[in-house]
Amino acid sequence: MQLSALQILHVRNLNTITLQCNPDANVLFGDNGSGKTSLLESIYLLGRGRSFRQRDLKSVVQSGTKELIVAGTVLSDQSRSPSSLGVKRSREGRFEARHNGETLRSASQLASQLPLQLVDAHSFILLEGGALQRRQFVDWGVFHVEHGFGSIWRRMQLALKQRNHLLRHDRMDNEQLVSWTREFVSASDAIALHRENYLSELELEIATISKYFDGLGALTIEYINGWDKKVTLADALESDFEKDRRLGKTHQGSHRADLLVKINGTPAAERLSRGQLKRLIYILKLAQASLYKKRTTESCIFLLDDLPAELDRCHRKQVLDCLSQLSCQFFVTGIEKTDFKDLLVNIAHQMFHVEHGEIFPA
């Protein structure tokens, strides 16, 4: 998959932008605040319908305007036939998305049309943050290779919401509680199975990708499914019933799952330096892209904000060489053009200078 053309209107400080994208590498350099990250944010909006920088889109819409628009032409690796994708977000929160002129009902439909991987200054949260970020990491992969996963995940979320609602009521409808608990268990079990199967495949890709990056140690991942493995989820919920009712929420299930990432048997976040953590994050994301390509024959698009941060020149080259081997189109930012000197010798690329919201071929 690749983005061949991009149109941006009213995203932060970017003026009206029309960009012809290189199918391999697109390098954006310029001073801080020039608009480099805003361009990556625009692509993210096109593929996810939201920003990776903040929840509230009011400040993403350019000052003095009512809405932002991002549109792009997407080429499939299989057919090479172009398709159009577009997103409109207003200050009031209205969301519109279209694919080849047809209205999309949700942001998840955008994600299936433009598979994106992002690495930025906040990516450390994958290893240093709470379980939610690691669940999202796993679920991104499962969503993109198992077409029915999205509907199962929505079933689980609905059942969890309804069960928690009933638990908080003084006069509980026991019949409804039994029904929603049964639905929650069914969906949670299915999600756990999908996640475990996905991670068993991902481990093989991690082992392969790790060969591009030296010196981290023995990397292992372990899936924690969100309830005591010695019992079924149904039994765990029955044992927890009084606690759940007292506190008004469900304490065990696939919504409490986590992923333990270890180096030489120690949690990675406790053992590795910032630079090593950044390399590990790249390994995990690149392994996902590799598995995605094997399962779908399509490649991901990578957004790399400030590649030079925490990575020396040798490790920057390792990242870009791996992306090239996977045939992933990427958009990468840095302050100086020289940050990328000699890194793209064997990779087709286009350099862009970003200055005061304008983008110029360099």
Side-chain angles (χ1 to χ4, degrees):
M1 198 79 71
Q2 66 179 245
L3 190 61
S4 66
L6 182 67
Q7 296 83 43
I8 305 169
L9 185 65
H10 300 156
V11 175
R12 294 194 187 269
N13 68 327
L14 293 178
N15 297 311
T16 302
I17 300 295
T18 299
L19 196 68
Q20 298 301 314
C21 309
N22 187 283
D24 297 314
N26 298 270
V27 178
L28 308 159
F29 66 93
D31 293 338
N32 289 328
S34 60
K36 304 185 302 297
T37 302
S38 296
L39 190 136
L40 299 189
E41 186 178 24
S42 299
I43 298 173
Y44 197 86
L45 280 161
L46 186 62
R48 300 287 184 89
R50 56 186 173 86
S51 167
F52 61 79
R53 298 167 78 178
Q54 57 197 108
R55 289 178 178 272
D56 188 357
L57 285 179
K58 288 182 180 179
S59 60
V60 181
V61 180
Q62 194 174 74
S63 177
T65 65
K66 294 181 178 181
E67 62 187 18
L68 63 80
I69 298 173
V70 184
T73 302
V74 181
L75 296 179
S76 164
D77 291 341
Q78 295 182 26
S79 65
R80 308 304 297 171
S81 58
S83 62
S84 63
L85 199 62
V87 169
K88 182 188 293 185
R89 299 293 307 240
S90 73
R91 284 185 176 276
E92 290 74 28
R94 290 192 302 276
F95 168 75
E96 294 180 35
R98 292 181 178 273
H99 176 242
N100 288 336
E102 298 291 328
T103 299
L104 301 181
R105 297 187 304 275
S106 68
S108 64
Q109 292 179 298
L110 282 173
S112 63
Q113 301 299 328
L114 195 68
L116 298 175
Q117 289 279 10
L118 168 72
V119 181
D120 71 345
H122 302 291
S123 293
F124 290 103
I125 198 171
L126 174 60
L127 300 173
E128 297 177 333
L132 173 62
Q133 284 72 34
R134 290 180 288 278
R135 285 196 299 273
Q136 290 174 340
F137 167 79
V138 176
D139 289 346
W140 183 98
V142 185
F143 171 81
H144 280 286
V145 301
E146 298 293 346
H147 296 300
F149 180 74
S151 62
I152 297 172
W153 188 88
R154 288 189 292 273
R155 275 178 49 208
M156 184 275 290
Q157 290 291 325
L158 176 61
L160 176 63
K161 179 180 178 180
Q162 294 296 330
R163 186 176 194 271
N164 287 346
H165 176 74
L166 290 166
L167 288 169
R168 288 191 293 267
H169 270 61
D170 292 334
R171 295 183 178 181
M172 186 185 303
D173 187 321
N174 288 323
E175 185 176 339
Q176 284 195 45
L177 181 66
V178 168
S179 177
W180 283 115
T181 298
R182 187 184 301 118
E183 173 73 355
F184 176 68
V185 168
S186 173
S188 282
D189 283 339
I191 286 172
L193 181 60
H194 278 302
R195 286 171 173 168
E196 289 169 353
N197 290 340
Y198 174 79
L199 287 170
S200 67
E201 292 186 69
L202 185 66
E203 283 187 285
L204 299 176
E205 301 306 319
I206 288 173
T208 299
I209 297 298
S210 294
K211 296 174 183 177
Y212 285 88
F213 302 85
D214 54 359
L216 291 182
L219 170 59
T220 58
I221 58 175
E222 179 186 354
Y223 177 66
I224 308 300
N225 64 5
W227 65 90
D228 187 346
K229 289 184 177 181
K230 297 177 184 178
V231 299
T232 66
L233 177 56
D235 288 341
L237 292 175
E238 185 176 349
S239 298
D240 260 9
F241 177 71
E242 290 303 325
K243 176 183 177 182
D244 287 353
R245 184 173 185 179
R246 184 173 69 255
L247 298 177
K249 63 179 180 179
T250 304
H251 287 82
Q252 298 196 68
S254 58
H255 65 300
R256 301 297 298 273
D258 200 354
L259 186 67
L260 300 182
V261 182
K262 296 182 178 182
I263 297 292
N264 296 334
T266 303
E270 298 176 10
R271 185 181 187 92
L272 301 183
S273 68
R274 296 291 281 180
Q276 290 173 320
L277 284 172
K278 192 71 169 284
R279 283 149 57 194
L280 177 53
I281 289 164
Y282 274 111
I283 289 172
L284 295 173
K285 298 270 188 172
L286 289 163
Q288 276 200 326
S290 179
L291 179 54
Y292 176 76
K293 189 173 182 66
K294 286 186 176 180
R295 292 288 299 273
T296 68
T297 73
E298 294 284 351
S299 55
C300 295
I301 297 172
F302 273 74
L303 309 177
L304 313 178
D305 195 24
D306 198 7
L307 176 70
E310 287 94 20
L311 292 181
D312 59 27
R313 185 168 291 275
C314 175
H315 292 119
R316 293 175 215 168
K317 183 166 176 53
Q318 289 173 343
V319 169
L320 299 186
D321 285 348
C322 190
L323 285 167
S324 180
Q325 288 294 317
L326 292 174
S327 300
C328 291
Q329 184 188 35
F330 59 90
F331 296 78
V332 57
T333 71
I335 294 176
E336 301 291 343
K337 187 176 182 179
T338 54
D339 289 335
F340 303 95
K341 184 180 180 182
D342 302 327
L343 298 184
L344 299 161
V345 173
N346 298 313
I347 302 174
H349 62 278
Q350 173 66 59
M351 308 285 287
F352 297 97
H353 182 214
V354 186
E355 185 176 11
H356 303 304
E358 300 281 1
I359 300 177
F360 308 96

